[in-house]
Amino acid sequence: ELVLDFIPEKPTPIDPASIIGEPSFESLGLGSWWPTGRLQIFMEYLHIDIGLEWYQTIMLTALCMRLCTFPFVVMAQRNVANMNNNMPGMAALQEKMSDARKRGDMLESAQLGQQMQSYMKKKGINPLKNILPVMVQMPIFMSMFLGLRKMANLPVPSMEEGGLLWFENLTMADPFYLLPFMTSLSLYIQFRVGADGNRLETMGPTGRVLMTVFPFLLMPISVNLPCAITFYWLTTNTISVGQAFFLRIPGVRSKLGIPKLIAWNKEEAQKKNKKGFRASVRESIDNFRVQADIADRRALDEQAFKDAGLAKPTK
């Protein structure tokens, strides 16, 4: 018979997480087949399988997303360079189109419109390419935004200790407001240097003021966001700014086929074009409408001619 002359110590409870590991995203209701869920699965792989901390996971994911959109940024940079280098020729054609439209000479306006299209096609210019990076990056940003917000609101347990420095808890808002301020500042610098192909200097007065104020108007909204989101936002902005400076290196531009920018005399350009930003935009829209009307009439005439050819002859 075994007799104990002492009281054994109370057993220490075992944390189930130390045995079975972190709960899977599937068990937490994350990782759907939507783009948001696919990005969550990618981040889960980086964190669980590779063993990265959550702040490292967010940084690497932001870098991967930026690398995916890099070809579109290069396309936009080429287009911006082509538009800048051929600006005098385009401005001259635009002025002639406006004069012909004001005189009511639709034939000359149509001919000049065709010349403008041929000129832009020959020089490889397409205004829509300037907004291509934004159009591609916006769905990615929104998917990351929604994915991280859901992970923080749940929350994913390991994210409560997955940060660094003063924002160790990625599921909470930054108590010192440093991340929101740095995010707004980096967004302003991003607009300033033209990270995605559009620079403040190339915009009109209204657009320049709007893009200057807009980053700081976001700060009252971003102060309430979890650190996971503001840290991702800061990271992707920083990568974008670094990317912009990288694309300014002459050797890099040459390898990627981005033409060298011609520095035009701004004073002479302003003397030639005394119109304001609104007047220039209104004039461009009016010219576009005239060209669209002419194209519609041409299509209508072609259809009428075709219908007349297929119709049975009248007796």
Side-chain angles (χ1 to χ4, degrees), residues 16 51 81 92 146 177 244 299:
L146 296 174
Y177 307 126

Side-chain angles (χ1 to χ4, degrees), residues 12-29:
T12 304
I14 300 176
D15 183 9
S18 63
I19 301 176
I20 62 175
E22 293 188 32
S24 66
F25 275 19
E26 185 178 1
S27 66
L28 295 173

Side-chain angles (χ1 to χ4, degrees), residues 94-107:
Q94 185 79 12
E95 191 68 26
K96 290 180 181 179
M97 286 175 62
S98 299
D99 291 341
R101 176 180 54 80
K102 291 174 182 177
R103 293 196 311 268
D105 191 342
M106 296 304 175
L107 178 60

Side-chain angles (χ1 to χ4, degrees), residues 99-156:
D99 291 341
R101 176 180 54 80
K102 291 174 182 177
R103 293 196 311 268
D105 191 342
M106 296 304 175
L107 178 60
E108 184 180 354
S109 180
Q111 292 174 343
L112 289 169
Q114 290 179 349
Q115 290 181 26
M116 175 71 86
Q117 292 177 3
S118 300
Y119 183 83
M120 292 174 65
K121 186 176 181 180
K122 181 181 177 181
K123 301 297 183 180
I125 299 171
N126 187 345
L128 293 178
K129 288 183 180 179
N130 288 1
I131 61 173
L132 191 58
V134 178
M135 293 174 63
V136 174
Q137 290 166 9
M138 187 56 67
I140 296 175
F141 177 82
M142 291 306 301
S143 297
M144 282 294 296
F145 180 92
L146 296 174
L148 288 171
R149 187 179 67 173
K150 190 170 183 180
M151 291 163 60
N153 290 342
L154 195 59
V156 174

